[in-house]
Amino acid sequence: MFDLIKYETQQLMGLVHPRILHMEHNLEETKDYFSFATEQIFGNLESIVTDDSVDRLEIRLGVLQIIDGLSYLHNSAKMLHGNLTPDAIYVTAIKTWKIGGFSFSVNAKEPNCFPCYPWTKKLPPCLQPDLDFLAPENLAQGQSTVTSAADVFSLGVLICWIYAGGKRLIDAKNNLETYHIIVNQLDAALQCISNELGPNLKDSLSKVLSLDVVQRPAVQLLTLIKHFDDPALSALRQLDDISQMFDPSHKSHFLSHTLNQAIPNIPESIWFNRVLPRFNEQLWEQPDLYYFITKPLFHILEHCESHNIHKMKPWIRKLMENAAHNKLLRAFILENMSALFRRLSDEFVEDKCLDVIILSLKSDDTSLQSSAVRGLPHVAEYLPISFITKKLLPTIMNLPPYLQDNVPRQLDLLAALAALSDRCDVANVALLFGCISLCNSTHSVIVHAKSRIAQRLVMRDPNRLKDAQLMCVHLLNPLVTGLACDDLSKFSCAHFDDIMSSVRILLEILEQRRYEMEDRQEHKQSNHHLGLNRLGNRRVSMSSTNLPRVMISAARPSFSSDSRKMSFLSADGRLEDRGSRRESRDSRGSLESDMSIRIGNGSDISDDSCFSSHSAKGRRQSWLDNYGHSVSLEQNTNGFLETTSRNLGDRNSMNFKQRNARASERRARNRSPNAELEPHREHPPARPNSFSNLGHNIVLTYRNLMYNNKDHTYS
């Protein structure tokens, strides 16, 4: 036994290869002990395969490493291992499989000719090669030499043992007769584990375990079988040998492309058992390669389980420390920074991220500025409010040279500001508006982007738009100016409707703010006249003094399936429903209604006649006829009509009653069918609308004129 230990250590000292167990210190012999030192090992294959569940990909990689080591022994070292068993394969601390156990190895006498020694019952099994892994030719009578095919047979038996989970293909119990019986039935034994091997590997092992030495392939040819044709497997093999890549371009291409493409197909356990240890071992002190490993590192961070995230912190911190000095690394981090905030939860990394954002925005390099701007929408929700208001927005205000006459850059900035708008409150929204005004292009996409920002501000919190001057200068004015450009064909139908909806919404907000201010003033003035109330707060949105058509809109949308309806007062005094007007379902039907719900409390509210069906397209209606049924404020409509008819004479009274009858008939046609089906349904009391107030005033004016003319005639 002592002689075997001495011989093995001597053989190991003379072998230097990545797949051979490395000796750190030669054998020391005293009267009390033998000692020698190797590289750090995790265990041998016997303990790992039987005790731990090894991933299938890791098994294939380990088998390839054994094949590489055995090929080195046969072709370069001219050595036959002679005892390739699970106890002879060691797994290092970085999960590399290496060959040891050279107690029975022999050197070649001639090319591919190695001496062999018969296996005998006279010696203890521990002083001889393992019978279950020996090739049949080693036991043939009168056989004194063998070829490298003997190790190939042992390798085949070892592969079967690995894939079968530690079950021996040949289990002779150190009995020669049993061994010969099993060897003659290897085809049946392979069939028993065919499911574990798979069809490709099983076919190859049938040749490897052939009793005919000539049919066994050379060991290096085993790497070419289809079972090992896998991009992920190839990438891991190259990663193990990255220290032997001396071409920097080859190494960088492998890390940024080959390995990055293979990482999604590699199990998570191998990420942390093999990939990260290789990075730590080979790349930790190579800053020039940091950029090329950011893609695989960020993919691992993004997709690993939460309990493994802490293992990524050393590398992420290392990258952040070097980001300020590496332009490519900084650009990549800026565009993928959301993963750091979302997954890592590291204060040091987050502080470095904030510094990188400001440093890049202040840089003279436009590519870094673009990366910083494009990355802001993804991290806006994670940025501290103090950082946004005190550092980020003031830095953005210094970007006009970067934005000058560049539509794509302005569009990127508007996308970033839209995301940042959710974090701004009333106190700092003015600074946000100033940043929005930096994007001064009248291109259709810029105008539409500003429209979406306006809608986003209103949807999230319309109270931030209290300052009418800021809203008009920075939001309303650019939208109206954009619509007034000469080339309206740049706007698609949906974009045009969307912008028009934003303009209406902002105008309603301005109107609401104005009315609220008047209400407060009147409330102060009317504290001593509590009994006097105004007729209502129903107001006309625009005056008809100078306009041929007056838009009378409802601030509250209908909650039925009908879209919101607009009524227009023509110059000839007729009410026109533009039901056939083109509208965008998204921009007008739902969005503007939602906006009106938020800002319409206390503003113009029309009665149900303002939300009639779109089936009456292009219908024109006399304002006097409409007045008869649209509202009844404090007076009886029929009584008022009768009084008017008496003043106008019998003939006029008859015509007026006929018109009233026709108006009632039109009301019956326009009435909802649900009203007839539900006669006992309670309807809310009619509420005055904007048109009702206007029509009421016009009718009173008309009546006074008639009285004056009549008195003048009598006089």
Side-chain angles (χ1 to χ4, degrees):
M1 178 64 70
F2 294 156
D3 291 340
L4 290 176
I5 294 175
K6 293 178 182 179
Y7 180 75
E8 179 179 0
T9 56
Q10 290 175 2
Q11 294 287 69
L12 284 174
M13 288 299 295
L15 299 173
V16 180
H17 190 267
R19 303 295 177 255
I20 305 298
L21 187 64
H22 178 64
M23 285 283 292
E24 296 286 351
H25 195 277
N26 203 355
L27 178 67
E28 289 186 2
E29 179 181 355
T30 68
K31 62 179 182 179
D32 297 323
Y33 60 84
F34 283 173
S35 65
F36 62 94
T38 67
E39 61 182 305
Q40 185 180 1
I41 61 174
F42 181 73
N44 60 18
L45 212 56
E46 179 77 39
S47 61
I48 291 176
V49 172
T50 56
D51 296 342
D52 300 331
S53 57
V54 185
D55 187 84
R56 191 81 170 185
L57 181 61
E58 196 167 5
I59 288 177
R60 285 190 291 169
L61 181 60
V63 170
L64 284 176
Q65 292 172 343
I66 296 174
I67 293 174
D68 290 343
L70 201 58
S71 178
Y72 162 76
L73 292 177
H74 292 173
N75 300 316
S76 300
K78 307 300 182 183
M79 180 183 295
L80 185 75
H81 189 277
N83 190 32
L84 203 60
T85 65
D87 289 331
I89 307 300
Y90 294 91
V91 180
T92 66
I94 57 175
K95 303 301 181 182
T96 302
W97 292 14
K98 296 192 175 185
I99 300 176
F102 287 88
S103 299
F104 303 99
S105 61
V106 291
N107 294 322
K109 293 182 177 181
E110 297 178 0
N112 199 24
C113 182
F114 304 92
C116 71
Y117 304 97
W119 198 92
T120 175
K121 296 180 180 179
K122 297 179 181 180
L123 291 176
C126 62
L127 299 180
Q128 301 182 84
D130 194 325
L131 181 61
D132 294 340
F133 292 88
L134 275 181
E137 56 266 28
N138 282 286
L139 304 177
Q141 293 183 357
Q143 188 78 21
S144 59
T145 61
V146 293
T147 63
S148 59
D151 273 351
V152 174
F153 183 92
S154 299
L155 176 63
V157 177
L158 178 62
I159 292 174
C160 292
W161 180 87
I162 295 171
Y163 278 82
K167 297 178 182 179
R168 296 195 173 210
L169 185 68
I170 303 174
D171 192 4
K173 307 294 185 184
N174 296 319
N175 189 296
L176 289 174
E177 290 78 8
T178 305
Y179 173 85
H180 288 296
I181 293 173
I182 297 175
V183 165
N184 292 324
Q185 299 176 357
L186 285 180
D187 291 340
L190 280 176
Q191 189 63 34
C192 293
I193 59 172
S194 59
N195 292 334
E196 290 82 359
L197 297 176
N200 296 324
L201 184 58
K202 178 179 175 295
D203 293 341
S204 300
L205 289 178
S206 297
K207 298 178 180 179
V208 171
L209 297 175
S210 174
L211 299 181
D212 187 358
V213 177
V214 179
Q215 292 187 4
R216 298 176 195 166
V219 65
Q220 60 268 21
L221 297 180
L222 295 178
T223 60
L224 304 178
I225 64 176
K226 192 174 182 180
H227 179 74
F228 299 115
D229 185 12
D230 184 355
L233 188 62
S234 176
L236 289 176
R237 290 186 68 192
Q238 294 182 65
L239 182 61
D240 287 338
D241 299 330
I242 194 171
S243 60
Q244 301 178 20
M245 297 182 186
F246 301 106
D247 186 357
S249 61
H250 183 203
K251 186 180 296 186
S252 60
H253 181 271
F254 164 73
L255 293 172
S256 60
H257 293 84
T258 307
L259 181 61
N260 184 58
Q261 293 174 1
I263 280 289
N265 300 320
I266 297 175
E268 182 175 343
S269 59
I270 299 181
W271 290 349
F272 296 100
N273 293 337
R274 188 175 295 273
V275 177
L276 279 184
R278 297 298 180 277
F279 286 176
N280 297 336
E281 179 185 4
Q282 303 291 339
L283 305 175
W284 185 260
E285 300 297 336
Q286 298 190 35
D288 295 341
L289 297 175
Y290 285 173
Y291 166 71
F292 303 106
I293 62 174
T294 50
K295 291 182 179 180
L297 283 174
F298 270 69
H299 181 89
I300 294 174
L301 175 64
E302 187 74 37
H303 297 90
C304 70
E305 296 290 340
S306 57
H307 63 272
N308 286 322
I309 292 179
H310 71 279
K311 300 177 183 178
M312 300 296 300
K313 287 186 178 181
W315 263 111
I316 299 300
R317 290 189 173 192
K318 193 76 171 178
L319 295 178
M320 296 306 302
E321 290 174 356
N322 289 268
H325 312 292
N326 191 321
K327 173 183 173 181
L328 295 176
L329 178 60
R330 195 196 315 175
F332 181 87
I333 291 175
L334 287 169
E335 296 180 0
N336 298 271
M337 194 176 290
S338 61
L340 302 180
F341 285 97
R342 183 165 26 88
R343 299 281 289 169
L344 205 57
S345 300
D346 186 288
E347 292 185 2
F348 174 82
V349 173
E350 291 177 1
D351 291 342
K352 286 291 184 180
C353 288
L354 302 182
D355 295 340
V356 166
I357 292 174
I358 299 301
L359 183 64
S360 301
L361 289 175
K362 292 181 178 180
S363 173
D364 295 332
D365 193 327
T366 56
S367 63
L368 286 177
Q369 291 176 314
S370 298
S371 298
V373 171
R374 285 194 297 266
L376 285 176
H378 306 292
V379 299
E381 59 180 308
Y382 307 107
L383 300 179
I385 296 295
S386 59
F387 171 77
I388 294 176
T389 57
K390 296 180 180 180
K391 291 185 178 181
L392 182 58
L393 292 180
T395 303
I396 292 177
M397 290 297 294
N398 296 323
L399 289 180
Y402 164 78
L403 301 170
Q404 186 67 31
D405 299 329
N406 194 307
V407 173
R409 293 178 182 176
Q410 293 186 17
L411 191 61
D412 290 338
L413 180 59
L414 288 176
L417 294 175
L420 292 172
S421 67
D422 298 340
R423 309 294 310 283
C424 295
D425 53 15
V426 178
N428 48 52
V429 75
L431 192 56
L432 177 71
F433 285 166
C435 296
I436 294 175
S437 295
L438 296 178
C439 305
N440 52 13
S441 172
T442 58
H443 194 279
S444 59
V445 295
I446 300 298
V447 178
H448 183 250
K450 291 183 178 181
S451 169
R452 304 304 279 180
I453 292 178
Q455 295 170 7
R456 190 164 181 164
L457 287 167
V458 175
M459 286 293 292
R460 297 302 176 99
D461 184 9
N463 292 325
R464 293 179 292 179
L465 303 179
K466 288 184 177 180
D467 194 323
Q469 182 178 3
L470 286 176
M471 183 175 64
C472 291
V473 172
H474 299 290
L475 291 180
L476 186 58
N477 182 54
L479 297 183
V480 177
T481 304
L483 290 175
C485 65
D486 295 334
D487 189 8
L488 289 178
S489 61
K490 295 187 298 183
F491 295 93
S492 65
C493 294
H495 286 182
F496 185 84
D497 284 349
D498 189 81
I499 297 170
M500 288 297 297
S501 295
S502 299
V503 172
R504 293 189 187 97
I505 292 166
L506 295 178
L507 288 176
E508 288 182 358
I509 293 176
L510 286 174
E511 186 181 36
Q512 179 67 17
R513 298 289 185 250
R514 175 69 178 181
Y515 293 158
E516 290 176 354
M517 181 181 67
E518 292 179 359
D519 289 341
R520 288 192 296 268
Q521 293 176 353
E522 292 180 5
H523 180 71
K524 293 179 180 179
Q525 297 174 0
S526 62
N527 284 335
H528 302 290
H529 307 281
L530 297 179
L532 298 178
N533 293 322
R534 295 188 306 169
L535 181 63
N537 62 344
R538 316 296 175 231
R539 301 174 177 84
V540 180
S541 298
M542 298 181 184
S543 174
S544 60
T545 305
N546 299 317
L547 296 178
R549 293 179 180 270
V550 179
M551 183 179 71
I552 305 174
S553 62
R556 287 186 182 272
S558 172
F559 292 95
S560 65
S561 59
D562 294 335
S563 299
R564 179 176 175 179
K565 181 178 177 182
M566 292 292 178
S567 300
F568 292 82
L569 185 65
S570 305
D572 59 354
R574 291 181 175 273
L575 185 68
E576 178 182 357
D577 289 338
R578 295 187 177 178
S580 59
R581 186 180 185 273
R582 171 184 49 78
E583 294 186 1
S584 171
R585 182 183 306 174
D586 295 334
S587 61
R588 291 278 313 273
S590 60
L591 178 62
E592 190 175 349
S593 297
D594 293 339
M595 301 296 182
S596 300
I597 290 174
R598 290 179 173 272
I599 66 174
N601 294 329
S603 63
D604 299 348
I605 303 175
S606 298
D607 58 7
D608 294 339
S609 64
C610 292
F611 304 104
S612 61
S613 171
H614 285 283
S615 60
K617 294 182 179 180
R619 178 167 54 86
R620 303 176 62 87
Q621 192 176 24
S622 171
W623 60 268
L624 190 57
D625 293 342
N626 187 70
Y627 175 79
H629 68 273
S630 61
V631 67
S632 177
L633 299 176
E634 298 293 339
Q635 32 187 316
N636 187 301
T637 304
N638 293 331
F640 171 74
L641 293 176
E642 290 175 2
T643 303
T644 307
S645 65
R646 286 197 303 268
N647 292 332
L648 295 178
D650 295 338
R651 183 176 180 181
N652 292 338
S653 175
M654 181 64 65
N655 294 334
F656 201 52
K657 289 181 179 180
Q658 292 175 355
R659 287 195 298 271
N660 187 27
R662 287 194 297 269
S664 301
E665 182 181 358
R666 281 193 295 272
R667 289 198 305 275
R669 289 198 300 267
N670 294 333
R671 189 179 298 116
S672 171
N674 296 331
E676 298 178 3
L677 296 177
E678 300 176 9
H680 302 292
R681 178 181 176 184
E682 294 184 1
H683 297 278
R687 306 181 67 179
N689 63 0
S690 302
F691 172 75
S692 302
N693 296 335
L694 179 62
H696 176 70
N697 295 334
I698 294 175
V699 170
L700 293 179
T701 304
Y702 176 74
R703 187 180 61 175
N704 293 335
L705 289 175
M706 293 295 298
Y707 285 153
N708 294 335
N709 291 336
K710 185 176 179 180
D711 295 341
H712 181 72
T713 302
Y714 290 157
S715 62

